[in-house]
Amino acid sequence: MKNILLLATGGTIASTQGTEGLEPREAPPALMRILEELQDWYHITYRDILNLDSSNIQAEEWQLIAREIFKGLEAYDGIVVTHGTDTMGYTASMLTFMLQNLQKPVVLTGSQLPVENPLSDARSNLATALAAVEHNLYGVSVAFHHKIISGCRAVKVRTMGFDAFESVNSPDRGRVLANGLQLYHSLPPCYAGPTLLQDRICPAVFLLKLIPGTDPRIFESLQMLGYRGVVLEAFGAGGLHFVRRDLSAQIKRLVDNGIPVVVCSQCLYDGSDLSIYEVGRKVLATGAIQAGDMTTEAAVTKLMWALGQTNHLEEVRRIFSTNYAGEISEGMG
């Protein structure tokens, strides 16, 4: 029987109706009843570490969650984190980078309806997360709607549907079918050395989604506000406009001042390739970094994490060219 630590952080799964809408609460009775039922198959230790709607989970909470996971790795076969769905993709991606060479399962899950609702998906999602631990699916994953997704590929794509998450530009790691949990995706690299907690991050990263006619002066403002990195969601395969409003000149100014600019695509699937079009090659010429087929969540958290490790632009480039846990496909960096 697997010995599993469950770290609760709040979210819809733990919410009840308050005076101003759904509010998370500690150890809701319905959740504790489900965990008691699941004790027939797993030895589960429950611990509340946060009690937040995931919209309030930020850099400080990421560090706390990572540290609590790291403390529990030696004593447990795996760790499940219950978390609100809205920012789960960001948390899962950040944990992927903070917990280097992770050799045990860490699985995030939650629900679209509170656990006390009779129609809630909480029980099935918890059971899927626990099954991932039982099958030693090491690394960071998201378990939702009978799917297990790599933590650095999980994106929330639905606000109301139970199938809220998809694995973007990478296969699911596994699915629960009538014949049990079936594993599909190969495991991330696991090296001989120990698991390392590298939780220094720099949250001074701005995500900018371009629209036709974006004013180039926005980049001057970001530098004046003290941002140390920018993730730019460009058009299509990585284009941006330079006629009348030349964005490339301002991006180059940021890069020349040591501020990394990472370019990804606004399109959910396939990723960026700045070498295809003139509008993309002008971006490459600025010294911007290609995100390839990384999700926006992975690009943002990887840049925050990279800037927590180094102040040097070339080292940030090296980090972005390194595939730590399958966040970028081979040949896309």
Side-chain angles (χ1 to χ4, degrees), residues 33 37 53 55 60 66 71 90 100 112 126 139 172 181-182 196 223 228 232-233 235 307 315 319 325 333:
R33 287 195 296 271
E37 293 170 5
D53 187 296
S55 295
E60 297 85 354
K71 284 195 298 187
Y90 286 98
Q100 291 285 302
Q112 290 286 75
L126 282 166
D172 293 336
L181 177 60
Q182 305 299 309
L196 300 175
Q223 186 172 359
R228 288 185 50 206
L232 187 63
E233 280 195 355
F235 306 123
L307 290 169
E315 180 63 9
I319 289 172

Side-chain angles (χ1 to χ4, degrees), residues 183-264:
L183 302 182
Y184 304 133
H185 193 24
S186 60
L187 295 172
C190 186
Y191 306 105
T195 299
L196 300 175
L197 175 66
Q198 295 183 337
D199 63 349
R200 296 185 311 277
I201 58 175
C202 172
V205 167
F206 191 83
L207 171 63
L208 175 63
K209 182 171 185 173
L210 291 185
I211 62 171
T214 296
D215 191 326
R217 291 176 297 178
I218 186 68
F219 295 104
E220 296 176 23
S221 300
L222 294 177
Q223 186 172 359
M224 289 174 58
L225 288 168
Y227 282 98
R228 288 185 50 206
V230 177
V231 176
L232 187 63
E233 280 195 355
F235 306 123
L240 49 76
H241 50 75
F242 61 85
V243 173
R244 287 189 298 278
R245 299 170 183 87
D246 186 3
L247 299 180
S248 59
Q250 291 297 327
I251 292 172
K252 186 176 188 305
R253 180 175 296 177
L254 285 184
V255 175
D256 289 346
N257 283 310
I259 299 173
V261 178
V262 175
V263 180
C264 59

Side-chain angles (χ1 to χ4, degrees), residues 59-128:
E60 297 85 354
E61 286 74 31
W62 290 333
Q63 290 175 319
L64 185 150
I65 295 168
R67 291 165 188 169
E68 291 295 325
I69 291 170
F70 187 73
K71 284 195 298 187
L73 286 175
E74 185 174 352
Y76 295 92
D77 297 309
I79 296 172
V80 172
V81 180
T82 55
H83 192 288
T85 59
D86 288 349
T87 63
M88 188 186 294
Y90 286 98
T91 299
S93 283
M94 183 59 87
L95 292 175
T96 296
F97 302 121
M98 285 181 165
L99 298 164
Q100 291 285 302
N101 196 30
L102 188 57
Q103 298 169 36
K104 289 185 178 181
V106 172
V107 190
L108 283 78
T109 194
S111 65
Q112 290 286 75
L113 279 174
V115 66
E116 294 184 349
N117 189 305
L119 298 176
S120 178
D121 50 334
R123 193 188 193 285
S124 64
N125 289 340
L126 282 166
T128 302

Side-chain angles (χ1 to χ4, degrees), residues 149 152-155 157 166-170 267-270 293-295:
I149 301 169
C152 55
R153 294 289 192 172
V155 176
V157 297
E166 289 186 11
S167 182
V168 173
N169 296 327
S170 183
C267 301
L268 188 58
Y269 292 102
D270 298 335
D293 67 347
M294 272 190 275
T295 67

